[in-house]
Amino acid sequence: MAVRPTTFWRESVAEEARLIASGERDPADAYAAELFPESMLLGTDEVLSRFETDLAALSAPSDEEVFAVIERVVLALNHVNEQHGESAYETEEREQLCAYIEESIAGAGLDVDAFAARHGLTRHEITDKWRDW
């Protein structure tokens, strides 16, 4: 199963807090808690949890059903991004979210490359139609 990007983001916040507490990092050089505020982490986890549930409910899905699940997760992530001033997800976070979506779909037993190719896309383009982040 794919590991949610929020797991890594939370680890980054915790590690930075540890470094600040130990005096190894100046608080003025801290960025993780600002980059990954708890409200964004919670909102993203909620969206990803629904995505995982939607994927688990699929059984021999049609391409339309797979695209519907992708559309729902991307639109919900758009909403989280909007709630955080259109800056919830920077380049690295966007890449991690897209990779998570791809890995989750593959983990559900779907051939992501074949799925994308049937629609004239690469696996990295399956979220593009709806993605604002």
Side-chain angles (χ1 to χ4, degrees):
M1 179 159 193
V3 177
R4 290 182 189 176
T6 52
T7 300
F8 304 112
W9 303 343
R10 279 192 169 84
E11 289 170 357
S12 178
V13 171
E15 175 62 11
E16 184 173 81
R18 186 194 67 74
L19 291 170
I20 291 169
S22 71
E24 296 174 65
R25 178 167 294 160
D26 186 322
D29 296 329
Y31 66 90
E34 185 177 324
L35 187 60
F36 307 119
E38 189 62 22
S39 60
M40 185 274 281
L41 294 171
L42 289 172
T44 303
D45 271 334
E46 184 178 309
V47 168
L48 298 181
S49 180
R50 282 193 309 264
F51 172 63
E52 292 163 1
T53 299
D54 287 350
L55 274 180
L58 296 177
S59 176
S62 67
D63 284 3
E64 291 76 21
E65 289 172 308
V66 175
F67 268 127
V69 169
I70 295 169
E71 179 181 10
R72 281 193 299 275
V73 70
V74 171
L75 292 177
L77 290 168
N78 285 349
H79 183 68
V80 172
N81 190 51
E82 289 167 10
Q83 290 177 319
H84 291 87
E86 304 290 338
S87 62
Y89 312 119
E90 301 294 332
T91 301
E92 185 173 340
E93 291 76 36
R94 290 189 293 266
E95 290 172 359
Q96 291 170 345
L97 285 166
C98 288
Y100 171 79
I101 291 168
E102 294 165 21
E103 290 169 19
S104 295
I105 292 168
L110 300 165
D111 183 333
V112 180
D113 291 313
F115 166 74
R118 285 193 297 274
H119 301 279
L121 304 170
T122 68
R123 71 183 303 131
H124 306 296
E125 296 173 316
I126 62 173
T127 62
D128 289 356
K129 182 175 180 179
W130 307 282
R131 189 162 53 90
D132 293 334
W133 35 272

